Amino acid sequence: MTKLYGLNDTVVPNQDGLFGEFGGKIGHPALAAAMQEIEDGFRAMIADENFLKEIEALQLHYVGRPSPIYHARRLSEHLGGAQIYLKREDLNHTGSHKINHCLGEVLLAKRLGKKKVIAETGAGQHGVALATASALLGLECEIHMGVVDIAKEHPNVSRMKILGATLVPVSRGAGTLKEAVDSAFESYLNQLDDSMFAIGSVVGPAPYPEMVGYFQSIVGHEARRQFSELTGGLPDVVTACVGGGSNALGLFNAFLDDDTVRKVGVEPAGEGLDSHHRHAATLTLGVKGEIQGFKCYVLLDENGEPAPVHSIASGLDYPGVGPQHSYLKDSGQVEYQSATDQECLDAFMLLSRMEGIIPALESSHAVAFAIREAKKLGKDQKILVNLSGRGDKDLDFVLSQIDV
C-alpha cells in the first residue's frame, strides 16, 4: 500500500507529549482524563486496518486526493529565477488542507461514541472542514470564532451555518483566534462526556500536535512522490505558511531527512517586525513560554501575557505556534522567515493574474516568500510551495484593501 500517513521520528513526542522541551500534557484533572481518552482512541484507530481503508476511501472519493502539483510556468518566467511549483491543497473539497485532519478527528469522535465536536476557527477553513465532516458522519458541530474574524470571513461563516454548525461569536479580548480557542475549551469542559474537542492545527496539549500532524502528513508523502515523478528529483526548497503550523508540518515531515532540501516556514510580519503588536511572527520574535496548556515559542506583552497579534490572514494571527515547529527551529532543521501584509497582498494578486489561481491570504505568505526567493536563485532550481487554501473567502476583504 502506498504510504498515506506517518510522522518522521523527529516530530513524534515522547511519553510526556514533549518534542524536546516543547509541547506537553495538560494538568487540569478533568481535561487530562479527556485528553487521555482521545490519545488512546487515536492510537487504537490508526492501528486499525479497517479505519485506514475507510479514511483512504474518503480521501480519494470525497476529498478528491491526491491533490496535484502544478508548475507555475508563467509566474516563474515573469520572475526570471527559480521554477515555482504549487502543491494544490486549495483544490481539496472545502478548499484547504484542513479537511485532512477534520475527517480523522470526526471519525475518532464517532469511534469514541461522542455526539458532538467542538472547535475554534480563525479564517473559518477549519470550521468549514469540521462542519463538513460532521455533516458527512452525522455528528453535531459547535464552532467558536472571534468577532473580528467573523466580519472578515463572511463567506466561511455562511458555509458553516448552511452545513448545520452552531456558530458561537467570541467578543472578549482581541476577538480573534486565541480568544476563540479559550472560549471553545471552556465550552468543552461543560460537555466532556458527550463531546470531543477538535483542534484545528498542530497546537494545544498532547495528543493534538501529534494527531493533527499525523493526518496532515499525507500532504508531504504525496508531494515527495509526485515531485519526483514530475521532475525526476526533489525540490531545492519547500515552503509553507506558519500560524499554528499544520500545513507546514504536513509538507516538511516528508523531507526532514533530506539535508539537500531547504525547508522554510513563513510567518506573518503584519505591518512590520518592528511594529508594536502588529505582527504574529512568533518563531522570529517570540520567547519560550506556555500558552493554552502547552510549551512553545510565544509572543508576550509587557506583563508577560500572550500578546495581541495581527495578520491580514485570520488563520495566522495566533501568539503561539506548534511545539514541533518550536523544536524544529531550535534544532536548525527548518528555518523561519516572514512576509508582511503588503507582500502577502502583492503575492495574492500576482499569482491570481499570472496563473489564474486565487490563493488564500494565509497561503499567500508562502507565495510571497517564493517570489522573493526565486529572484535570488538560478532557473535550474525548484521551489515547492504548499498552497494550503484557496482565496474565495478573502475576496471581499482583499477588494476593500486594493484598487483593481
Coordinates of all heavy atoms in Angstrom, one line a residue, residues 325-395:
H325 N 7.2 22.8 15.6 CA 7.9 23.9 14.9 C 8.9 24.6 15.8 O 10.0 25.0 15.4 CB 7.0 24.9 14.3 CG 6.2 24.5 13.1 ND1 6.8 24.3 11.9 CD2 4.9 24.1 13.0 CE1 5.9 23.8 11.1 NE2 4.7 23.7 11.7
S326 N 8.6 24.7 17.1 CA 9.5 25.3 18.1 C 10.7 24.4 18.2 O 11.9 24.9 18.2 CB 8.8 25.4 19.4 OG 7.7 26.2 19.4
Y327 N 10.5 23.1 18.2 CA 11.6 22.1 18.2 C 12.5 22.2 17.0 O 13.7 22.2 17.0 CB 11.1 20.7 18.5 CG 12.2 19.7 18.4 CD1 13.0 19.5 19.5 CD2 12.3 18.8 17.3 CE1 14.0 18.5 19.5 CE2 13.3 17.9 17.3 CZ 14.2 17.7 18.4 OH 15.1 16.8 18.4
L328 N 11.8 22.2 15.8 CA 12.5 22.2 14.5 C 13.3 23.5 14.4 O 14.4 23.5 13.7 CB 11.5 22.1 13.4 CG 10.9 20.7 13.3 CD1 9.7 20.7 12.3 CD2 11.9 19.6 12.9
K329 N 12.8 24.6 14.9 CA 13.6 25.9 14.9 C 14.9 25.7 15.7 O 16.0 26.0 15.2 CB 12.7 27.0 15.5 CG 13.5 28.3 15.8 CD 12.7 29.3 16.5 CE 13.6 30.4 17.1 NZ 14.2 31.3 16.1
D330 N 14.7 25.2 16.9 CA 15.9 25.1 17.8 C 16.9 24.1 17.3 O 18.1 24.2 17.5 CB 15.5 24.8 19.2 CG 15.0 26.0 20.0 OD1 14.9 27.1 19.4 OD2 14.8 25.8 21.2
S331 N 16.4 23.0 16.6 CA 17.3 22.0 16.1 C 18.0 22.4 14.8 O 18.9 21.8 14.3 CB 16.6 20.7 15.8 OG 15.7 20.8 14.8
G332 N 17.5 23.5 14.2 CA 18.0 24.0 12.9 C 17.6 23.2 11.7 O 18.1 23.5 10.6
Q333 N 16.6 22.3 11.8 CA 16.2 21.5 10.7 C 15.3 22.4 9.7 O 15.2 22.0 8.6 CB 15.4 20.3 11.2 CG 16.3 19.3 11.8 CD 15.5 18.1 12.4 OE1 15.1 18.2 13.6 NE2 15.3 17.1 11.7
V334 N 14.6 23.4 10.3 CA 13.7 24.2 9.5 C 14.1 25.7 9.8 O 14.4 26.0 11.0 CB 12.3 24.0 9.8 CG1 11.4 24.9 9.0 CG2 11.9 22.5 9.5
E335 N 14.1 26.5 8.8 CA 14.3 28.0 9.1 C 12.9 28.7 8.9 O 12.1 28.2 8.2 CB 15.3 28.6 8.1 CG 14.9 28.5 6.7 CD 16.0 29.1 5.8 OE1 16.1 30.4 5.6 OE2 16.8 28.3 5.1
Y336 N 12.8 29.8 9.6 CA 11.5 30.5 9.7 C 11.8 32.0 9.3 O 12.6 32.6 9.9 CB 10.9 30.4 11.0 CG 10.5 28.9 11.3 CD1 11.4 28.1 11.9 CD2 9.3 28.4 10.9 CE1 11.1 26.7 12.2 CE2 8.9 27.1 11.1 CZ 9.8 26.3 11.8 OH 9.5 24.9 12.0
Q337 N 11.1 32.4 8.2 CA 11.2 33.8 7.8 C 9.8 34.4 7.9 O 8.8 33.7 8.4 CB 11.7 33.8 6.4 CG 13.1 33.3 6.2 CD 13.8 33.7 5.0 OE1 13.5 34.8 4.4 NE2 14.8 33.0 4.5
S338 N 9.6 35.6 7.3 CA 8.3 36.2 7.5 C 8.0 37.0 6.2 O 8.8 37.3 5.4 CB 8.2 37.1 8.7 OG 9.2 38.2 8.6
A339 N 6.7 37.3 6.1 CA 6.2 38.2 5.0 C 5.2 39.2 5.5 O 4.4 38.8 6.4 CB 5.6 37.4 3.8
T340 N 5.3 40.4 5.1 CA 4.4 41.5 5.5 C 3.0 41.4 4.9 O 2.8 40.7 3.9 CB 5.0 42.9 5.3 OG1 5.0 43.0 3.8 CG2 6.3 43.0 5.8
D341 N 2.1 42.1 5.5 CA 0.7 42.2 4.9 C 0.8 42.6 3.4 O 0.1 42.1 2.5 CB -0.1 43.2 5.6 CG -0.6 42.7 7.0 OD1 -0.4 41.5 7.3 OD2 -1.1 43.5 7.8
Q342 N 1.6 43.6 3.1 CA 1.7 44.1 1.8 C 2.3 43.1 0.8 O 1.8 42.9 -0.3 CB 2.5 45.4 1.7 CG 2.5 46.1 0.4 CD 1.1 46.5 0.0 OE1 0.4 47.2 0.7 NE2 0.6 46.1 -1.2
E343 N 3.4 42.4 1.3 CA 3.9 41.4 0.4 C 2.9 40.3 0.2 O 2.9 39.7 -0.9 CB 5.2 40.8 1.1 CG 6.4 41.6 1.2 CD 7.5 41.0 1.9 OE1 7.3 40.6 3.1 OE2 8.6 40.8 1.3
C344 N 2.1 40.0 1.2 CA 1.1 39.0 1.0 C 0.0 39.4 0.0 O -0.3 38.6 -0.9 CB 0.4 38.8 2.4 SG -1.0 37.7 2.4
L345 N -0.4 40.6 0.1 CA -1.4 41.1 -0.9 C -0.8 41.2 -2.3 O -1.5 40.8 -3.3 CB -1.8 42.6 -0.5 CG -2.9 42.7 0.5 CD1 -3.1 44.2 0.9 CD2 -4.2 42.1 0.0
D346 N 0.4 41.6 -2.4 CA 1.1 41.6 -3.7 C 1.2 40.2 -4.3 O 1.0 40.0 -5.5 CB 2.5 42.2 -3.6 CG 2.5 43.7 -3.3 OD1 1.4 44.3 -3.5 OD2 3.5 44.2 -2.9
A347 N 1.5 39.2 -3.5 CA 1.6 37.8 -4.0 C 0.3 37.3 -4.3 O 0.1 36.5 -5.3 CB 2.3 37.0 -2.9
F348 N -0.7 37.6 -3.6 CA -2.1 37.2 -3.9 C -2.5 37.7 -5.3 O -3.0 36.9 -6.1 CB -3.0 37.9 -2.8 CG -4.5 37.6 -3.0 CD1 -5.1 36.6 -2.2 CD2 -5.3 38.3 -3.8 CE1 -6.5 36.3 -2.3 CE2 -6.6 38.0 -4.0 CZ -7.2 37.1 -3.2
M349 N -2.2 38.9 -5.6 CA -2.6 39.4 -6.9 C -1.7 38.9 -8.0 O -2.2 38.6 -9.1 CB -2.6 41.0 -6.9 CG -3.6 41.6 -6.0 SD -5.3 41.1 -6.4 CE -5.4 41.7 -8.1
L350 N -0.4 38.8 -7.8 CA 0.4 38.3 -8.8 C 0.1 36.9 -9.2 O 0.1 36.6 -10.4 CB 1.9 38.4 -8.4 CG 3.0 38.2 -9.5 CD1 2.8 39.1 -10.6 CD2 4.4 38.2 -8.9
L351 N -0.1 36.0 -8.3 CA -0.4 34.6 -8.6 C -1.8 34.5 -9.3 O -2.0 33.8 -10.3 CB -0.5 33.7 -7.3 CG -0.8 32.2 -7.6 CD1 0.3 31.6 -8.4 CD2 -0.9 31.5 -6.2
S352 N -2.7 35.4 -8.9 CA -4.0 35.4 -9.5 C -3.9 35.8 -11.0 O -4.5 35.2 -11.8 CB -5.0 36.4 -8.7 OG -5.2 35.9 -7.4
R353 N -3.2 36.9 -11.2 CA -3.1 37.4 -12.6 C -2.2 36.6 -13.5 O -2.4 36.6 -14.7 CB -2.5 38.9 -12.5 CG -3.5 39.8 -11.8 CD -4.7 40.1 -12.6 NE -5.7 40.9 -11.9 CZ -5.8 42.2 -11.8 NH1 -4.8 43.0 -12.4 NH2 -6.8 42.8 -11.2
M354 N -1.1 35.9 -12.9 CA -0.2 35.2 -13.7 C -0.7 33.8 -14.0 O -0.3 33.2 -15.1 CB 1.2 35.1 -13.1 CG 2.0 36.4 -13.2 SD 2.6 36.6 -14.9 CE 3.1 38.3 -14.9
E355 N -1.4 33.2 -13.1 CA -1.7 31.7 -13.2 C -3.2 31.4 -13.1 O -3.6 30.3 -13.3 CB -1.0 30.9 -12.1 CG 0.6 31.0 -12.2 CD 1.1 30.3 -13.4 OE1 0.4 29.5 -14.1 OE2 2.3 30.4 -13.7
G356 N -4.0 32.4 -12.9 CA -5.4 32.2 -12.7 C -5.8 31.4 -11.5 O -6.8 30.6 -11.4
I357 N -4.9 31.5 -10.5 CA -5.1 30.8 -9.2 C -5.2 31.8 -8.1 O -4.3 32.5 -7.8 CB -4.0 29.8 -8.9 CG1 -3.9 28.7 -10.0 CG2 -4.1 29.1 -7.5 CD1 -2.7 27.8 -9.9
I358 N -6.4 31.9 -7.4 CA -6.6 32.8 -6.3 C -6.3 32.1 -5.0 O -7.0 31.3 -4.6 CB -8.0 33.4 -6.3 CG1 -8.3 34.0 -7.7 CG2 -8.2 34.4 -5.2 CD1 -9.8 34.5 -7.8
P359 N -5.2 32.5 -4.3 CA -4.8 31.8 -3.1 C -5.4 32.4 -1.9 O -5.7 33.6 -1.8 CB -3.3 32.0 -3.1 CG -3.1 33.4 -3.7 CD -4.2 33.5 -4.7
A360 N -5.5 31.6 -0.8 CA -5.9 32.2 0.5 C -4.8 33.1 0.9 O -3.6 33.0 0.6 CB -6.0 31.0 1.5
L361 N -5.2 34.1 1.7 CA -4.2 35.1 2.3 C -3.2 34.4 3.1 O -2.0 34.8 3.2 CB -4.9 36.2 3.1 CG -5.7 37.2 2.3 CD1 -6.5 38.1 3.2 CD2 -4.7 38.0 1.4
E362 N -3.6 33.3 3.8 CA -2.6 32.5 4.6 C -1.5 32.0 3.7 O -0.3 32.2 3.9 CB -3.3 31.4 5.4 CG -4.2 31.8 6.5 CD -5.6 32.4 6.0 OE1 -5.9 32.2 4.9 OE2 -6.2 33.1 6.8
S363 N -2.0 31.3 2.7 CA -1.0 30.7 1.7 C -0.2 31.7 1.0 O 1.0 31.4 0.6 CB -1.8 29.8 0.7 OG -2.7 29.0 1.3
S364 N -0.8 32.9 0.8 CA -0.1 34.0 0.1 C 1.2 34.4 0.8 O 2.1 34.9 0.1 CB -1.0 35.2 -0.1 OG -2.1 34.8 -0.9
H365 N 1.3 34.1 2.1 CA 2.6 34.4 2.8 C 3.7 33.5 2.2 O 4.9 34.0 2.0 CB 2.5 34.2 4.3 CG 1.7 35.3 4.9 ND1 0.3 35.4 4.9 CD2 2.1 36.3 5.7 CE1 -0.1 36.4 5.6 NE2 1.0 37.0 6.1
A366 N 3.4 32.2 2.0 CA 4.4 31.3 1.4 C 4.7 31.7 0.0 O 5.9 31.6 -0.5 CB 3.9 29.9 1.5
V367 N 3.7 32.1 -0.8 CA 3.9 32.5 -2.2 C 4.8 33.7 -2.2 O 5.7 33.9 -3.0 CB 2.5 32.8 -2.8 CG1 2.7 33.4 -4.2 CG2 1.6 31.6 -2.9
A368 N 4.6 34.7 -1.3 CA 5.4 35.9 -1.2 C 6.9 35.5 -1.0 O 7.8 36.1 -1.6 CB 4.9 36.8 -0.1
F369 N 7.1 34.6 -0.1 CA 8.5 34.1 0.1 C 9.1 33.5 -1.1 O 10.2 33.8 -1.5 CB 8.6 33.1 1.3 CG 9.9 32.4 1.3 CD1 11.0 33.0 1.8 CD2 10.0 31.1 0.8 CE1 12.3 32.4 1.8 CE2 11.2 30.5 0.8 CZ 12.4 31.1 1.3
A370 N 8.3 32.7 -1.8 CA 8.8 32.0 -3.0 C 9.1 33.0 -4.1 O 10.1 32.9 -4.8 CB 7.7 31.0 -3.5
I371 N 8.3 34.1 -4.2 CA 8.5 35.1 -5.2 C 9.8 35.9 -4.9 O 10.7 36.1 -5.7 CB 7.3 36.1 -5.2 CG1 6.1 35.5 -5.9 CG2 7.7 37.4 -5.9 CD1 4.8 36.2 -5.7
R372 N 10.0 36.1 -3.6 CA 11.2 36.8 -3.1 C 12.5 36.0 -3.4 O 13.5 36.5 -3.8 CB 11.0 37.2 -1.6 CG 12.0 38.1 -1.0 CD 11.5 38.5 0.3 NE 11.6 37.5 1.3 CZ 10.7 37.4 2.4 NH1 9.8 38.2 2.6 NH2 10.9 36.4 3.2
E373 N 12.3 34.7 -3.1 CA 13.5 33.8 -3.1 C 13.8 33.4 -4.5 O 15.0 33.2 -4.9 CB 13.2 32.6 -2.3 CG 14.4 31.8 -1.9 CD 15.4 32.5 -1.0 OE1 14.9 33.5 -0.3 OE2 16.5 32.1 -0.9
A374 N 12.8 33.2 -5.4 CA 13.0 32.8 -6.8 C 14.0 33.7 -7.5 O 14.8 33.3 -8.3 CB 11.7 32.6 -7.5
K375 N 13.8 35.0 -7.2 CA 14.7 36.0 -7.9 C 16.2 35.9 -7.6 O 17.0 36.3 -8.3 CB 14.2 37.4 -7.5 CG 12.8 37.7 -8.0 CD 12.3 39.1 -7.4 CE 10.9 39.4 -7.8 NZ 10.4 40.6 -7.2
K376 N 16.5 35.2 -6.4 CA 17.8 35.0 -6.0 C 18.5 33.8 -6.5 O 19.7 33.6 -6.4 CB 17.9 35.0 -4.5 CG 17.3 36.2 -3.8 CD 17.3 36.0 -2.2 CE 16.6 37.1 -1.5 NZ 16.5 36.8 0.0
L377 N 17.6 32.8 -7.0 CA 18.1 31.5 -7.4 C 18.2 31.3 -8.9 O 17.5 32.1 -9.7 CB 17.2 30.4 -6.8 CG 17.0 30.5 -5.3 CD1 16.0 29.4 -4.8 CD2 18.4 30.2 -4.6
G378 N 18.9 30.3 -9.4 CA 19.0 30.1 -10.8 C 17.8 29.4 -11.3 O 17.0 28.8 -10.6
K379 N 17.7 29.4 -12.7 CA 16.5 28.8 -13.3 C 16.4 27.3 -13.2 O 15.4 26.7 -13.5 CB 16.4 29.3 -14.8 CG 16.2 30.8 -15.0 CD 16.1 31.1 -16.5 CE 15.9 32.6 -16.6 NZ 15.7 33.0 -18.1
D380 N 17.5 26.7 -12.9 CA 17.5 25.2 -12.7 C 17.1 24.8 -11.3 O 17.0 23.6 -11.1 CB 18.9 24.7 -13.0 CG 20.0 25.2 -12.1 OD1 19.8 26.4 -11.6 OD2 21.0 24.6 -11.9
Q381 N 16.9 25.8 -10.4 CA 16.5 25.4 -9.1 C 14.9 25.4 -8.9 O 14.3 26.2 -9.7 CB 17.1 26.3 -8.1 CG 18.6 26.1 -8.0 CD 19.3 26.8 -6.9 OE1 19.5 28.0 -6.9 NE2 19.6 26.1 -5.8
K382 N 14.4 24.7 -8.0 CA 13.0 24.5 -7.9 C 12.5 24.7 -6.5 O 13.1 24.3 -5.5 CB 12.6 23.1 -8.3 CG 13.1 22.7 -9.7 CD 12.8 21.2 -10.0 CE 13.3 20.9 -11.4 NZ 14.8 21.0 -11.5
I383 N 11.4 25.5 -6.4 CA 10.8 25.8 -5.1 C 9.4 25.2 -5.1 O 8.6 25.4 -6.0 CB 10.6 27.3 -4.9 CG1 12.0 28.0 -4.9 CG2 9.9 27.6 -3.5 CD1 11.9 29.5 -4.8
L384 N 9.0 24.4 -4.1 CA 7.7 23.8 -3.9 C 7.0 24.6 -2.8 O 7.4 24.6 -1.7 CB 7.8 22.3 -3.6 CG 6.5 21.6 -3.3 CD1 5.5 21.7 -4.5 CD2 6.7 20.2 -2.9
V385 N 5.8 25.2 -3.1 CA 5.0 25.9 -2.2 C 3.8 25.1 -1.8 O 3.1 24.6 -2.7 CB 4.5 27.3 -2.8 CG1 3.7 28.0 -1.8 CG2 5.7 28.1 -3.2
N386 N 3.5 25.0 -0.6 CA 2.2 24.3 -0.2 C 1.1 25.4 -0.3 O 1.0 26.3 0.6 CB 2.3 23.8 1.2 CG 1.1 22.8 1.5 OD1 0.4 22.4 0.6 ND2 0.9 22.5 2.8
L387 N 0.3 25.3 -1.3 CA -0.8 26.3 -1.5 C -1.9 25.7 -0.7 O -2.8 25.0 -1.2 CB -1.2 26.4 -3.0 CG -1.9 27.7 -3.3 CD1 -1.0 28.9 -3.1 CD2 -2.5 27.6 -4.7
S388 N -1.9 26.1 0.6 CA -2.8 25.4 1.6 C -4.2 25.7 1.5 O -5.1 24.9 2.0 CB -2.3 25.7 3.0 OG -2.3 27.1 3.2
G389 N -4.6 26.8 0.8 CA -6.1 27.1 0.7 C -6.3 28.0 -0.4 O -5.5 28.7 -0.9
R390 N -7.6 28.1 -0.8 CA -8.0 29.0 -1.9 C -8.6 30.3 -1.3 O -9.0 30.3 -0.2 CB -9.0 28.3 -2.8 CG -10.3 27.9 -2.3 CD -11.2 27.3 -3.4 NE -12.5 26.9 -2.8 CZ -12.9 25.6 -2.9 NH1 -12.1 24.7 -3.4 NH2 -14.1 25.3 -2.4
G391 N -8.6 31.3 -2.1 CA -8.9 32.6 -1.6 C -10.3 33.1 -1.8 O -10.6 34.3 -1.6
D392 N -11.3 32.2 -2.1 CA -12.7 32.6 -2.2 C -13.1 33.4 -0.9 O -13.8 34.4 -1.1 CB -13.6 31.4 -2.3 CG -13.2 30.5 -3.4 OD1 -12.0 30.3 -3.7 OD2 -14.1 29.9 -4.1
K393 N -12.8 32.9 0.2 CA -13.2 33.6 1.5 C -12.6 35.0 1.7 O -13.2 35.8 2.5 CB -12.7 32.7 2.6 CG -11.2 32.6 2.8 CD -10.7 31.7 3.8 CE -9.2 31.6 3.9 NZ -8.6 32.9 4.2
D394 N -11.5 35.3 0.9 CA -10.8 36.6 1.2 C -11.1 37.6 0.1 O -10.6 38.7 0.2 CB -9.3 36.3 1.1 CG -8.9 35.4 2.2 OD1 -9.3 35.6 3.4 OD2 -8.1 34.4 1.9
L395 N -12.0 37.3 -0.8 CA -12.2 38.2 -2.0 C -12.7 39.6 -1.6 O -12.1 40.6 -2.0 CB -13.1 37.6 -3.0 CG -12.6 36.3 -3.7 CD1 -13.6 35.8 -4.7 CD2 -11.2 36.6 -4.4

